[in-house]
Amino acid sequence: MHDAAAPGTVAPWRATVLTLYPEMFPGPLGLSLSGDALARGAWSLEARNIRAHGLGRHRSVDDTPAGGGAGMVLRCDVLAAAIDAATPEPDHRPRLLMSPRGTPLTQARVRALSAGPGAVIVCGRFEGVDERVIAGRGLEEVSIGDYVLSGGEIAALVLIDACVRLLPGVMGKPQSGVEESFEGGRLEYPHYTRPRDWEGRAIPDVLMGGNHAAIARWRAERSLALTRARRPDLLTEREDP
Ligand code: SAH
């Protein structure tokens, strides 16, 4: 229903987050560029409480791990009920589970997600979720890095922030998204602004000279050198000489 935009308009990018802590949203995304864009309807955010589908008088959502061990596991039946209630057909958005075991999030994936209709994002807690709901509801596991958070909420905020800033009209100039780190497999060149001299450190002369070709060359060189030094894994075979 919500996927169909009126003719000539674009449906706003839509995030639905399933969480035990809906109060964490929009959180920092309610401020600055993402907050302004949210307020004017360029994207939307719905945080739904998994506990609304909890069982019994205590609305229980978790149980002890089969086979024993520490911690608690989010129940598959509870999570599936929450997902089903949040996505009445038809809903073509990708369903993501924030998870340290997931595919590492990249700028390319962020771009693809941002170009789509939005995302349904499940936030784990405790030891994680019952494995069966991942296959049963077609969840794609996404990680924001090789470290363990206490819950998926901050990871979801990271993913949504990265997507929303790429939506048309959210960032000041469209160009500022094109030369950034990871675009074209490079880290970005260094930035400077006034004052020209600061504590004995001057802005490189080439940036003050007004020769745009020379500036572009300098930036490309710095970008390549930084990438070689810090993230050689990003460099493709198409590397410039
Ligand atoms: N026992 C799990 C970690 C659970 S952490 C393991 O060892 O893999 C609890 C929840 O935090 C996870 O279910 C997930 O939703 C979220 N989370 C933790 N680290 C994350 C990361 N690097 N990326 C995305 N989500 C993460």
Side-chain angles (χ1 to χ4, degrees), residues 13 107-118 159-160 162-168:
W13 197 84
Q107 187 66 13
R109 186 72 213 281
V110 164
R111 251 191 202 286
L113 283 170
S114 167
L159 183 143
I160 297 170
C163 290
V164 163
R165 66 191 288 284
L166 294 181
L167 296 174

Side-chain angles (χ1 to χ4, degrees), residues 117-203:
V120 178
I121 305 170
V122 179
C123 301
R125 276 273 156 183
F126 321 122
E127 286 309 314
V129 310
D130 186 311
E131 188 73 18
R132 294 169 292 178
V133 76
I134 299 174
R137 288 298 179 273
L139 304 181
E140 184 200 338
E141 294 181 75
V142 176
S143 167
I144 64 157
D146 291 345
Y147 38 78
V148 180
L149 306 168
S150 49
E153 288 77 11
I154 292 174
L157 289 167
V158 167
L159 183 143
I160 297 170
D161 178 85
C163 290
V164 163
R165 66 191 288 284
L166 294 181
L167 296 174
V170 172
M171 274 194 303
K173 288 185 188 163
Q175 195 58 23
S176 57
V178 172
E179 292 193 349
E180 270 181 337
S181 291
F182 308 114
E183 303 291 353
R186 304 283 161 83
L187 301 178
E188 198 182 48
Y189 51 79
H191 293 293
Y192 301 87
T193 187
R194 281 179 278 271
R196 183 167 185 161
D197 287 294
W198 177 75
E199 296 190 351
R201 297 163 197 272
I203 294 177

Side-chain angles (χ1 to χ4, degrees), residues 48-55 59-61 77-78 81-83 85-86:
R48 298 177 67 110
N49 198 336
I50 295 167
R51 200 170 292 283
H53 302 273
L55 306 172
R59 297 240 165 253
S60 170
V61 297
D77 49 357
V78 170
I83 294 167

Side-chain angles (χ1 to χ4, degrees), residues 2 16 27 44 46 50 52 60 65 67 76 96-97 100 115 117 160 190 196 200 209:
H2 296 282
T16 298
S44 74
E46 182 192 19
I50 295 167
S60 170
C76 51
L96 313 177
L97 170 65
I160 297 170
R196 183 167 185 161

Side-chain angles (χ1 to χ4, degrees), residues 14 23 57-58 60 76 94 105 133 148 163 191 206 212:
R14 202 155 63 92
E23 313 86 326
R57 207 155 52 86
H58 298 293
S60 170
C76 51
L105 187 63
V133 76
V148 180
C163 290
H191 293 293
V206 60
H212 296 294

Side-chain angles (χ1 to χ4, degrees), residues 185-188 220-235 239:
R186 304 283 161 83
L187 301 178
E188 198 182 48
E221 283 162 12
R222 295 307 305 143
S223 173
L224 182 58
L226 270 172
T227 311
R228 274 209 187 104
R230 297 183 185 177
R231 293 293 305 278
D233 56 296
L234 293 176
L235 292 170
E239 188 176 318

